[in-house]
Amino acid sequence: MNYEIIVIGGGAAGFFTAINAAELKPSAKILILERGKDVLTKVRISGGGRCNVTHAEFIPNNLIKNYPRGEKELRGPFHQFMTGDTIAWFEERGVELKTEEDGRMFPVSDTSETIINCFLAEVQRLKIDVRKSETVKTIRDEEDFWEIETSKATYSAEKIVIATGSNPRIWKLLEQLGHKITPAVPSLFTFNIEDKRIKELPGISTYAEVKVQGEKLQEEGPLLITHWGLSGPAILKLSAWGARFLNKRNYQFKIAVNWLPGSSSEEVLENLKQLKIALARQQVAKNAQFELPKRLWQSLAEAAGITERETWANLNKSQLLAFTSQLTRAEFEVNGKSTFKEEFVTAGGVDLKEVNFKTFESKLRKNLVFAGEVLNIDAVTGGFNFQNAWTGGFIAAKAVAAK
């Protein structure tokens, strides 16, 4: 079966590429190949089923700072297709987006089905073929055309787009075509920690600074205590930026948490000394300070050797120093990781030096184009991985729709 354009991968980047290519070149015969029984599965589960479409960051130089891999390469593409373009694209198709306090953008409907239905309607309107449950077995470059053999049929196309995300099978096929693949390691994961100080505190969230001991890895943001350890944006950002290093350490390392970010140990110690005078008769553990959650404050006080009924006036120098340490540089042993919800993200993929980011075309093979996380590009949580899919997909579409 002959097509002008074949998109391998029925996810966000694949659908976005195919739809835009069909609009740019209505005469083109386009096929989407998906190995799974369903398409757009990651779209369905993202954002807790609401689909975190993008992030309300409208300056390219600021947006790229959210990509541990791909920061430099995406600067140019983001000047071609940016957050505002994404919002306009969906609005033109009847999908209105809303912005939440943390900058994440979701469909107003608060359901990912809105995005999925939009894509499926567009595919039907543009008469794009979609074939599911077709695993790609071989990709052959026949110079004038591409031949793709799947588990069910053999196809040929003038141009192909690889939008398969972190699919090891496709990476192997790309290696056979001469591309270098950066090995995949997990990104966006939470830290497994067993520690008395947080054992009874799951569900507590606060703003904190987290640093990997002995390294320059450091992030701050909302921190969530869970049944298995620590999560939240601060941890997820740290896991993304430290993906390769933490993998080499087999996820065994120490972190230091400053529960009062922006405050030094010296400043906090001085504040505690002032509280010792101002609140002399108050029981320390029962009256949380610095706007910390009460149960967290009590746990840190206990860890500093302060008993439940002890008053500020009774605190000695060693207790004040110990409390300062717990508040500003509490050390925790990390022993393993857990996947962040169902949103499994990896760092790895096609070597970025082998891609022309003006068009997302392969520098090694003619009429071979990439979109999405098949490339060695990944982002922190917050809608940034999808924005990479939309930007790459749009530019890839322009490349394959060109004469």
Side-chain angles (χ1 to χ4, degrees), residues 279-307:
L279 306 177
R281 294 183 180 181
Q282 277 192 16
Q283 292 176 333
V284 179
K286 287 188 176 181
N287 297 279
Q289 304 296 320
F290 308 113
E291 298 183 355
L292 280 178
K294 185 176 180 180
R295 287 165 57 214
L296 175 61
W297 172 267
Q298 290 172 335
S299 180
L300 296 175
E302 183 183 350
I306 299 170
T307 61

Side-chain angles (χ1 to χ4, degrees), residues 94-273:
V95 178
E96 187 181 351
L97 304 181
K98 63 176 180 177
T99 307
E100 302 202 336
E101 283 187 18
D102 59 3
R104 292 182 302 162
M105 299 193 73
F106 297 87
V108 170
S109 64
D110 266 335
T111 173
S112 57
E113 294 301 320
T114 301
I115 304 300
I116 292 170
N117 291 338
C118 169
F119 283 157
L120 294 178
E122 287 294 281
V123 161
Q124 189 172 12
R125 177 178 72 85
L126 295 163
K127 296 180 172 59
I128 297 168
D129 290 344
V130 179
R131 296 181 186 269
K132 295 178 275 190
S133 299
E134 292 215 28
T135 300
V136 172
K137 291 186 171 183
T138 62
I139 302 174
R140 285 190 288 272
D141 184 355
E142 301 292 353
E143 292 190 15
D144 293 333
F145 66 94
W146 288 91
E147 188 175 89
I148 298 167
E149 182 189 347
T150 75
S151 53
K152 293 184 178 179
T154 300
Y155 305 91
S156 62
E158 294 176 27
K159 301 170 183 178
I160 61 171
V161 180
I162 310 294
T164 48
S166 51
N167 183 336
R169 179 190 289 269
I170 298 298
W171 281 337
K172 282 185 180 180
L173 295 178
L174 290 172
E175 278 185 318
Q176 292 170 15
L177 292 170
H179 272 286
K180 181 181 177 183
I181 303 297
T182 302
V185 298
S187 182
L188 290 189
F189 49 84
T190 62
F191 295 172
N192 293 351
I193 299 170
E194 284 191 23
D195 192 287
K196 184 182 177 182
R197 288 168 291 178
I198 60 173
K199 187 177 181 181
E200 304 298 327
L201 305 181
I204 284 181
S205 179
T206 188
Y207 198 90
E209 180 183 87
V210 187
K211 184 180 187 304
V212 176
Q213 294 287 57
E215 298 296 326
K216 292 182 179 180
L217 284 171
Q218 183 173 312
E219 285 292 341
E220 69 174 66
L223 187 68
L224 174 67
I225 299 173
T226 69
H227 288 287
W228 60 88
L230 294 177
S231 184
I235 297 296
L236 296 171
K237 285 182 184 179
L238 204 62
S239 76
W241 287 100
R244 296 210 167 274
F245 165 78
L246 300 179
N247 177 260
K248 287 179 182 177
R249 294 285 294 270
N250 198 29
Y251 310 105
Q252 311 285 323
F253 54 95
K254 292 180 181 180
I255 59 170
V257 178
N258 184 350
W259 302 101
L260 306 173
S263 299
S264 67
S265 297
E266 291 76 17
E267 290 169 336
V268 172
L269 178 60
E270 188 58 37
N271 285 333
L272 292 181
K273 287 178 179 178

